[in-house]
């Protein structure tokens, strides 16, 4: 039976050639690394540029969300205008505006509206008033005495998972539905809507929003869209004589 012939062993390269091959390999790897980093930097820059554009869009939508302006272009609501003119769904409009209301342009561009909304959803879920801490990317406790969560560097998926964990914990603890999460009470939302309607009746085109503070505490009411004309109209309305009661 014939035996298989062994392949001749490869002779090592001469030291000079080996050194040359190593240098060429390292130079090629360095070139690839430089090109990859440059492409990644361009991609990140383009993404931040897109987020800045979305921030400006959110501000423009907020400015447009006034009955007189919408009526001037033939629309009843900002959602109808955004759908017809920009192809934006109602949920997209709400997410963009909420993210833009929460942070400034620089942080909006750096974090991205998707991650900001995930951070706000986590703040909604937790019992404490930790919105500012979460947006500042600080480490928080998911509930009093509960596990810590490192917000800095957390992905949108991780933030969503943390919010789900909080909701599951509160459900297990049997917390009342109005205590599950950092949300304004229904009566506060109604009060904000009444004030918005009353101001509109006095030609003060603003939107009043009830923002939750912490469980058991009253909401904080924010006035959005109050420009110089609105301030003038509001002052004029306040200056009117009070109606006498019989």
């Amino acid at each position: 039976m014939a035996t298989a012939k062994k392949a001749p062993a490869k002779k090592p390269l001469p030291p000079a050639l080996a050194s040359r091959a190593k240098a060429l390999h390292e130079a090629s790897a360095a070139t690839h690394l430089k090109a990859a980093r440059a492409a990644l930097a361009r991609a990140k820059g383009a993404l931040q540029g897109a987020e800045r554009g979305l921030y400006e869009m959110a501000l423009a939508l907020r400015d447009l969300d006034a009955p007189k302006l919408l009526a001037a272009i033939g629309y009843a609501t900002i959602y109808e205008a955004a759908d017809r003119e920009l192809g934006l769904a109602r949920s997209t409009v709400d997410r963009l505006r909420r993210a833009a209301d929460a942070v400034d342009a620089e942080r909006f561009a750096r974090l991205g509206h998707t991650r900001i909304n995930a951070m706000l959803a986590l703040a909604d879920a937790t019992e404490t008033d930790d919105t500012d801490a979460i947006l500042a990317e600080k480490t928080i406790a998911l509930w009093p005495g509960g596990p810590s969560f490192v917000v800095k560097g957390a992905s949108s998926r991780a933030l969503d998972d943390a919010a789900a964990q909080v909701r599951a914990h509160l459900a297990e603890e049997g917390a009342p539905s109005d205590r599950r999460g950092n949300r304004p009470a229904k009566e506060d939302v109604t009060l904000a809507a009444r004030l918005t309607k009353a101001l509109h009746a006095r030609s003060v085109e603003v939107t009043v929003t009830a923002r939750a503070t912490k469980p058991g505490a009253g909401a904080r009411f924010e006035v959005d869209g109050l420009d110089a004309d609105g301030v003038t109209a509001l002052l004029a309305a306040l200056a009117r004589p009070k109606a006498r009661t019989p």
Side-chain angles (χ1 to χ4, degrees):
M1 183 175 179
T3 57
K5 294 183 178 179
K6 294 183 178 180
K10 292 184 178 180
K11 295 182 179 180
L13 291 173
L17 289 178
S19 178
R20 174 66 175 170
K22 182 180 178 182
L24 289 173
H25 175 75
E26 291 176 348
S28 177
T31 299
H32 291 157
L33 179 60
K34 183 178 180 180
R37 285 176 173 170
L40 184 58
R42 285 172 52 210
K44 287 182 177 179
L47 179 59
Q48 289 195 351
E51 291 291 348
R52 289 189 183 93
L54 290 174
Y55 182 83
E56 291 301 322
M57 181 190 294
L59 296 185
L61 290 171
R62 185 174 66 188
D63 292 343
L64 181 60
D65 192 11
K68 289 182 179 179
L69 297 186
L70 290 168
I73 56 175
Y75 295 109
T77 68
I78 188 62
Y79 302 112
E80 183 183 356
D83 178 38
R84 299 282 184 85
E85 301 291 340
L86 303 169
L88 298 178
R90 182 189 185 105
S91 58
T92 302
V93 173
D94 287 339
R95 285 197 302 269
L96 285 176
R97 290 189 58 180
R98 191 179 187 205
D101 287 343
V103 298
D104 59 20
E106 181 180 353
R107 190 176 295 182
F108 188 103
R110 181 172 61 84
L111 297 176
H113 72 285
T114 300
R115 187 159 177 259
I116 292 170
N117 276 285
M119 296 166 91
L120 293 172
L122 175 59
D124 285 345
T126 56
E127 293 183 286
T128 55
D129 183 17
D130 51 10
T131 303
D132 290 340
I134 291 173
L135 290 174
E137 298 183 278
K138 296 181 179 179
T139 299
I140 63 164
L142 293 182
W143 55 84
S148 297
F149 180 78
V150 182
V151 178
K152 188 175 182 62
S155 66
S156 298
R157 174 64 64 85
L159 290 161
D160 290 339
D161 289 345
Q165 185 180 354
V166 173
R167 289 191 291 269
H169 168 76
L170 291 175
E172 289 176 1
E173 293 293 310
S177 59
D178 61 349
R179 292 290 298 276
R180 291 180 189 168
N182 191 32
R183 299 180 184 277
K186 289 183 179 179
E187 56 268 27
D188 290 331
V189 174
T190 300
L191 186 60
R194 287 178 56 195
L195 180 55
T196 298
K197 185 176 181 180
L199 290 172
H200 285 180
R202 290 163 176 78
S203 300
V204 183
E205 304 297 342
V206 298
T207 300
V208 181
T209 304
R211 301 291 187 193
T213 53
K214 59 183 179 181
R220 180 178 69 249
F221 293 87
E222 298 178 355
V223 179
D224 181 28
L226 189 61
D227 57 13
D229 291 339
V231 170
T232 301
L234 182 56
L235 288 173
L238 292 173
R240 294 171 189 163
K242 295 182 179 178
R244 295 183 179 181
T245 56

